[in-house]
Amino acid sequence: MLQPTPFKPAILFGTLFLLQLLGMQQTGKAQFPLPDSACGGVPVTLTNPAPGASGYYWNFCNTAISTTPGAVNLGNFGGAISVPTWISVAKDGNDYYAFTANHLDGTIIRLSFGSSLGNTPVAYNMGRMGNALPTLLESIKIINDNGIWYGLAVGGNAPTGVASGRVVLINFGASLANNTPVATNLGNFLAMGFPTDIKVLRESGNWAAFITDAYSNSRIVRLDFGNSLVNIPLATPINVPNMSFPTGMCEVKDRGNWYLFVCNNDNSTLTRINLGTSLFNNTPASQNLGNPGNLLHKTRDMMLLRTCDGLHGYVFSESNKLTGLRFGGDSVMGAITATDMGNPGNQFSFTHAASELLRSGDTLYSLVANVSNNSILRLAFGSCVTGSGVAAAHDSTPAVIFPNVSGSVPVNLLVDEGLPTQRAYCGSIYITQSPIIDSVVVHQPVTCDGREGSLWVFTSLANADCIFKYTKDGIPQNPVHLRTGGRGEIVIINLEAGVYDDITVTNGKCVSPPAGPYTLKGPLTPRFVIEHIPEGPLCEGDTAVLYALGLFENPSYLWSTGDTTTSIRVSQSGTYMLTLTDGICSGMDTAEIIFQPLPEFDLGNDTTICDNRPLTIGGLPYTAGQGASWQWNTADYDAAIAVSATGRYILEVDLNGCTAADTINITALVAPEVLLPPDGDICEDATIVLDAGNYGSAYRWSTGDTTQTISVTAAGRYDVHVSRSGCRDTGSVYFSFYPKPTVILPPDTVVCEE
């Protein structure tokens, strides 16, 4: 038989309760960056206020978690459970495990849940691990240290008070699925008589284990492992007053200080121990909190849970009753109000201790050991109680789509769940219902270019003040401020035919997805212009084709010329009109067609010239007038040019885009060329022959001679005219007269030699 007096284990829940950041209130204005409002159905990016944490859980419910647990009895797993005491749960990779201590035979049962704590587990008896585990086993705690899984187990006692307790270190290696872990008996520290509960915490890289020593000593023993759980620990007693047979405890870090809450089984009270800012260096202070509401009876275990609506406590008693605690001011130091929560689901049967809280999906779970019926009880704290929302785990900022319903929605971020550093960031965001365009009914105009058209836009918002925007034929129209009807309808009237697109309805800051395009196809007056081919200037002598430029469905034509064809040919200047009928509507356009006059000019008749006498052609008083341009086939651009060579000369004149050309043929005859000697002198009794050259020509000298050559003996000017085939040339020369010189020598004479 189990002896009720020495059998007084407790529960750990404090490592996973929801702490407030720096002790601030968790309700009202958010304590992290959060927009005041958002639109329903539209992704909202929320800023993560705690980067680098080990885990995140976003929750959008009226409370961060249900404060009333549901209870399901998982049974005995084929008789594997025998007087269960403490349970420790952990997640290794994607798999969840629970380890239960069987009190009497000192064995440990591993429960493998797979990917969810909501599954039915498979039990495996790991035995006493080479008898390292004591009989009368009490508590086990599972820890991961730098990738290696460890278990710390305590137990062993005698009703007579003999110090027979021990601490056992279990090394699972890299996986909790290991069926053959290595267990080491670390011995009994400070002569513990009945070690019941153990909590393992880490601060600044160093590990500390806190053990309740219930039998005789009523104290707590702290083991300091240093930077690794494989080190030999240093034991320190924590002796504080106001404890009587301490069993279970839970730890919490609140507003920078570490606390332990201890259940006193003998006097049914609670003790709060303040360890200060450090687990190692401070002198603890304690206070007995008494029996809140006188609802506690033979207390066994306690857990704390902080939600966005306050700090809650749960106390388990031997009487199978759960007592709820509420701490004033959301602080462990606040006044306590107690509530009798009865026996959830009538599943408690000498409830001994509960595991840590561990999240699986959107639910927090804790496993509870029932001693009397050797069963395991699963407590579930649901993520939502009232309201609606979505929950998602993110290690970075998530994009959340809220339901498209107006109202305030809580936003809760739980950080580092399962650790003493767990925090809760809580606030709210107002969701404005985003409008949705459900359907659009089009009413067409009925008259030519009429504005009897309308759009009936049915939205998801009834009797709401909205802004209506749209484009017509790609051009944004002025926004319309209006109020939707009782069916959410918006009626836009006085619309003409066209394509209406990008239709949106704005409610506050929320805009509906755009709708469209919708085409209003009422009768339209044909719109067109009369164009002509060829394009550009028209000149006298041309023929132009007139036609209507536009888009029509079934047109008919009536020209001012009486023609009913789609186009007409014209060659006279004038005003031409077209009446075009398309359906029931007619349109009209006129076009003034002008055939520009051609430039008038005449280069004259073909002619013959002498090549030594250039002829100027062009330069006549053209009707081209100002603004005309000229171009000769000689690459000249002047109005008149001088020519002296035989050839065909063409002039093209452009006036306002109209051109005309004329041609003249020039025959250039070779003119005679007279080459007389230069002016000079003629001596007395001398004769000079002058030759006019150009054999076969006609000659006329100033001397009256008509021969090609003449002889001259006297000084003077001599001119000659030479003509041949109508072409002529002249030449002249001037001679000065010089008499003969006179020479007089002396008479002959005789001279002497030398």
Side-chain angles (χ1 to χ4, degrees):
M1 285 292 294
L2 176 68
Q3 296 179 339
T5 300
F7 191 84
K8 298 180 178 180
I11 186 170
L12 166 62
F13 197 95
T15 57
L16 205 53
F17 71 98
L18 309 180
L19 288 174
Q20 292 173 312
L21 177 64
L22 300 178
M24 294 188 288
Q25 295 294 322
Q26 298 298 302
T27 58
K29 183 66 176 179
Q31 300 162 12
F32 56 100
L34 187 66
D36 292 331
S37 62
C39 299
V42 178
V44 179
T45 298
L46 302 178
T47 302
N48 175 9
S54 62
Y56 306 87
Y57 183 78
W58 293 89
N59 180 286
F60 308 96
C61 302
N62 286 339
T63 57
I65 191 172
S66 171
T67 56
T68 301
V72 175
N73 196 308
L74 300 180
N76 192 302
F77 310 106
I81 307 300
S82 176
V83 190
T85 50
W86 260 265
I87 304 177
S88 184
V89 294
K91 185 179 182 183
D92 184 6
N94 294 321
D95 295 324
Y96 293 86
Y97 298 92
F99 294 84
T100 301
N102 280 339
H103 178 69
L104 292 181
D105 62 10
T107 61
I108 289 180
I109 305 300
R110 183 186 65 204
L111 303 178
S112 301
F113 286 84
S115 60
S116 173
L117 279 174
N119 295 335
T120 299
V122 176
Y124 177 76
N125 192 328
M126 308 192 76
R128 292 186 60 197
M129 302 182 186
N131 293 325
L133 296 173
T135 57
L136 304 181
L137 182 62
E138 281 291 303
S139 182
I140 181 173
K141 174 66 177 177
I142 302 297
I143 317 102
N144 189 287
D145 185 7
N146 294 322
I148 302 300
W149 288 101
Y150 296 95
L152 278 173
V154 296
N157 77 307
T160 59
V162 176
S164 59
R166 74 175 70 167
V167 179
V168 178
L169 177 67
I170 306 170
N171 188 335
F172 290 89
S175 174
L176 290 176
N178 184 3
N179 292 333
T180 57
V182 177
T184 303
N185 183 358
L186 301 182
N188 191 344
F189 298 89
L190 302 180
M192 292 183 295
F194 184 23
T196 53
D197 194 8
I198 181 171
K199 299 293 178 282
V200 183
L201 304 175
R202 192 176 190 181
E203 180 182 82
S204 300
N206 292 317
W207 293 97
F210 292 84
I211 302 171
T212 51
D213 185 9
Y215 201 77
S216 302
N217 294 312
S218 292
R219 63 178 177 175
I220 292 176
V221 174
R222 187 184 74 217
L223 301 182
D224 300 341
F225 286 86
N227 60 4
S228 175
L229 290 173
V230 299
N231 295 334
I232 301 300
L234 175 65
T236 301
I238 298 178
N239 296 306
V240 295
N242 307 316
M243 290 197 301
S244 178
F245 208 101
T247 53
M249 60 180 166
C250 59
E251 75 278 22
V252 54
K253 190 174 185 181
D254 187 21
R255 293 162 173 80
N257 287 341
W258 289 95
Y259 296 88
L260 293 175
F261 282 82
V262 182
C263 292
N264 296 306
N265 182 263
D266 277 353
N267 58 18
S268 300
T269 64
L270 302 176
T271 297
R272 181 181 61 217
I273 301 175
N274 186 347
L275 300 175
T277 58
S278 173
L279 296 173
F280 302 100
N281 302 321
N282 298 317
T283 300
S286 68
Q287 179 182 357
N288 190 285
L289 303 178
N291 187 338
N294 290 319
L295 296 177
L296 308 183
H297 177 68
K298 304 294 284 185
T299 55
R300 279 288 180 180
D301 212 344
M302 178 180 175
M303 65 170 67
L304 289 175
L305 175 63
R306 175 166 276 128
T307 69
C308 285
D309 63 349
L311 176 61
H312 303 269
Y314 301 85
V315 180
F316 297 85
S317 298
E318 287 184 15
S319 58
N320 297 327
K321 181 176 64 174
L322 184 64
T323 301
L325 305 179
R326 180 69 180 265
F327 291 79
D330 294 338
S331 169
V332 296
M333 303 297 290
I336 298 176
T337 301
T339 302
D340 186 354
M341 302 183 73
N343 185 341
N346 292 319
Q347 297 297 328
F348 286 7
S349 180
F350 190 0
T351 302
H352 196 274
S355 72
E356 308 91 335
L357 275 177
L358 192 60
R359 178 171 298 282
S360 180
D362 290 341
T363 304
L364 287 175
Y365 292 99
S366 177
L367 301 181
V368 179
N370 274 337
V371 172
S372 294
N373 60 10
N374 294 320
S375 66
I376 301 299
L377 183 66
R378 181 170 60 205
L379 297 182
F381 293 80
S383 59
C384 292
V385 176
T386 59
S388 60
V390 294
H394 294 271
D395 59 1
S396 60
T397 304
V400 179
I401 298 178
F402 291 96
N404 195 16
V405 179
S406 294
S408 182
V409 175
V411 178
N412 312 308
L413 173 60
L414 311 182
V415 177
D416 281 352
E417 287 186 307
L419 301 176
T421 55
Q422 181 176 347
R423 289 156 287 169
Y425 300 85
C426 307
S428 64
I429 184 173
Y430 187 84
I431 304 302
T432 300
Q433 183 178 359
S434 294
I436 297 174
I437 297 177
D438 297 321
S439 63
V440 177
V441 178
V442 175
H443 295 275
Q444 313 285 4
V446 295
T447 61
C448 296
D449 297 332
R451 299 182 63 88
E452 304 91 355
S454 62
L455 291 175
W456 289 63
V457 181
F458 291 88
T459 75
S460 59
L461 298 179
N463 301 314
D465 293 321
C466 297
I467 299 176
F468 184 82
K469 294 182 180 180
Y470 61 98
T471 65
K472 177 182 179 296
D473 298 329
I475 301 174
Q477 306 297 301
N478 293 328
V480 180
H481 295 260
L482 42 73
R483 185 173 180 82
T484 61
R487 294 178 298 167
E489 71 273 16
I490 296 172
V491 182
I492 305 298
I493 61 174
N494 298 330
L495 299 180
E496 60 185 4
V499 178
Y500 293 81
D501 201 358
D502 297 321
I503 300 173
T504 60
V505 179
T506 302
N507 177 31
K509 297 180 180 179
C510 303
V511 183
S512 69
Y518 298 95
T519 301
L520 275 65
K521 299 181 64 175
L524 297 175
T525 297
R527 289 173 171 80
F528 62 94
V529 292
I530 297 176
E531 295 287 352
H532 60 79
I533 300 174
E535 298 178 353
L538 298 174
C539 304
E540 290 180 352
D542 290 343
T543 297
V545 177
L546 306 187
Y547 67 96
L549 179 62
L551 296 176
F552 320 106
E553 292 186 358
N554 187 25
S556 61
Y557 302 85
L558 178 61
W559 294 89
S560 56
T561 60
D563 294 293
T564 57
T565 54
T566 57
S567 63
I568 59 173
R569 292 178 176 272
V570 298
S571 57
Q572 298 294 325
S573 296
T575 300
Y576 297 86
M577 181 176 66
L578 171 62
T579 300
L580 190 152
T581 302
D582 194 6
I584 66 172
C585 302
S586 297
M588 185 181 67
D589 189 33
T590 59
E592 184 178 5
I593 303 300
I594 299 176
F595 291 90
Q596 301 286 346
L598 298 175
E600 296 180 2
F601 64 98
D602 187 2
L603 293 179
N605 297 326
D606 296 344
T607 187
T608 300
I609 65 172
C610 299
D611 63 359
N612 62 345
R613 293 184 182 274
L615 174 66
T616 298
I617 58 176
L620 300 176
Y622 310 134
T623 59
Q626 186 176 2
S629 61
W630 302 266
Q631 183 174 356
W632 295 87
N633 62 338
T634 60
D636 292 299
Y637 294 93
D638 295 325
I641 61 173
V643 298
S644 60
T646 298
R648 181 181 179 87
Y649 294 88
I650 303 173
L651 172 61
E652 185 178 273
V653 179
D654 186 300
L655 176 63
N656 299 323
C658 296
T659 61
D662 195 18
T663 302
I664 186 172
N665 293 308
I666 301 296
T667 301
L669 301 177
V670 178
E673 183 179 9
V674 177
L675 298 174
L676 294 179
D679 294 346
D681 301 324
I682 187 169
C683 297
E684 183 181 1
D685 297 331
T687 300
I688 298 177
V689 178
L690 297 178
D691 188 351
N694 301 287
Y695 176 79
S697 300
Y699 306 92
R700 183 169 55 86
W701 293 89
S702 57
T703 61
D705 295 297
T706 58
T707 58
Q708 179 178 339
T709 61
I710 63 173
S711 298
V712 297
T713 59
R717 179 183 177 89
Y718 298 90
D719 298 314
V720 66
H721 294 266
V722 180
S723 61
R724 184 178 60 225
S725 300
C727 297
R728 63 179 183 172
D729 193 17
T730 62
S732 65
V733 63
Y734 181 84
F735 294 108
S736 299
F737 179 79
Y738 284 91
K740 292 181 180 179
T742 300
V743 178
I744 300 175
L745 295 175
D748 296 341
T749 188
V750 176
V751 297
C752 295
E753 186 179 0
E754 299 180 356

